[in-house]
Amino acid sequence: MTKRLDPKRAALVAGAIAALACAGEAAAQNNLGRGSGSATLYELPNYQGRSVTITGSTSDLGDWRFNDRAQSARFSGTWRVCEHDDFRGRCQEIRGDVPDLTQYGLMAQISSLEPAGWQRPPGPGPGPGPFPPPGGGHGGWGPPGGDSRGVDGVKTVFFARPQVRGVDVAAGKTGADTFCRRQGLGPSVWYDSSERANRAIAPDGRIIGRSTVLRDLLCVKY
């Protein structure tokens, strides 16, 4: 026999469910406003060819060797995309999958981008230089100097507190992979991001304010 719920109690339950749904939606919108998500750019239409994934404000895609190269893209969250570096020129807000950037008039014309609502710090101040662009090697920065020293395993190298010249590395897969490749290793296979620091270095080389940082990073040797 099915037991019926008291009408007053049913109304309370329904109200609670609606409140939780509204709270979840508001939290999601707030996260988008703080610049959550990522943008993956592809050098050919329909998500083909070489790609790069951006997780924060990037003022010059030349640092990633991807200036004026993107012909398609996948955006998680809403992103502000600009045709010149330093967010100059024509800018548009885009979200979702875009198999051909011609529809936005930005085919092979993107030079800078950032999550919509991103709050950039007033200025980086003195600090270490940027990471090399992703894709292996050290770019134009030469061998690492003053970086954290790793502990060799059989197939991996362990970094308890990865740093670049004394500055913690902002948490995220892109930063973890870039740090590993900076050491002449393969990509990251695991990292912890449960701690925060007052400042950190982002994958594009900017010094940013208080953020979650990498800890206990494992890089593969090959």
Side-chain angles (χ1 to χ4, degrees), residues 13 17 20 22 35 40 47 53 59 65 73 90 92 106 115 131 152-153 171 176 195 206:
V13 171
I17 292 173
L20 287 173
C22 291
T40 300
Y47 322 115
T53 297
S59 61
R65 299 174 187 165
R90 183 168 58 88
Q92 288 189 239
L106 289 168
F131 281 158
D152 279 358
E195 293 189 11
R206 293 176 304 106

Side-chain angles (χ1 to χ4, degrees), residues 23-37 77-78 115-118:
E25 183 178 354
Q29 290 175 349
N30 287 338
N31 284 336
L32 287 176
R34 286 194 292 269
S36 61
T78 303
W118 181 273

Side-chain angles (χ1 to χ4, degrees), residues 35-46:
S36 61
S38 62
T40 300
L41 309 177
Y42 300 84
E43 66 177 352
L44 298 175
N46 296 313

Side-chain angles (χ1 to χ4, degrees), residues 2-219:
T2 303
K3 185 177 180 181
R4 292 186 177 180
L5 189 63
D6 179 79
K8 291 184 178 180
R9 184 171 295 179
L12 288 174
V13 171
I17 292 173
L20 287 173
C22 291
E25 183 178 354
Q29 290 175 349
N30 287 338
N31 284 336
L32 287 176
R34 286 194 292 269
S36 61
S38 62
T40 300
L41 309 177
Y42 300 84
E43 66 177 352
L44 298 175
N46 296 313
Y47 322 115
Q48 300 296 310
R50 189 168 67 92
S51 67
V52 62
T53 297
I54 307 297
T55 57
S57 179
T58 300
S59 61
D60 186 357
L61 280 170
D63 292 339
W64 297 76
R65 299 174 187 165
F66 224 83
N67 184 54
D68 290 340
R69 288 183 177 273
Q71 298 188 37
S72 59
R74 297 182 188 273
F75 297 98
S76 173
T78 303
W79 285 70
R80 177 172 171 254
V81 178
C82 302
E83 63 179 347
H84 299 317
D85 60 1
D86 292 322
F87 312 101
R88 295 176 295 114
R90 183 168 58 88
C91 297
Q92 288 189 239
E93 289 194 356
I94 307 176
R95 65 180 297 131
D97 294 348
V98 185
D100 189 337
L101 284 163
T102 301
Q103 68 183 90
Y104 290 97
L106 289 168
M107 171 69 78
Q109 292 185 39
I110 298 176
S111 296
S112 57
L113 72 165
E114 64 183 354
W118 181 273
Q119 297 297 316
R120 289 190 295 273
F131 281 158
H138 305 304
W141 300 98
D147 291 1
S148 302
R149 295 179 66 86
V151 177
D152 279 358
V154 175
K155 295 184 178 181
T156 61
V157 179
F158 171 72
F159 297 87
R161 183 175 179 172
Q163 292 184 325
V164 174
R165 290 184 288 279
V167 179
D168 290 310
V169 181
K173 177 64 173 171
T174 302
D177 286 348
T178 305
F179 181 88
C180 290
R181 289 175 176 138
R182 178 179 171 82
Q183 315 307 316
L185 303 168
S188 64
V189 292
W190 188 87
Y191 62 85
D192 176 78
S193 58
S194 60
E195 293 189 11
R196 299 176 69 85
N198 290 329
R199 67 170 187 160
I201 186 167
D204 61 5
R206 293 176 304 106
I207 301 299
I208 59 177
R210 185 170 178 78
S211 62
T212 306
V213 294
L214 297 177
R215 294 289 185 263
D216 295 345
L217 170 64
L218 274 181
C219 307

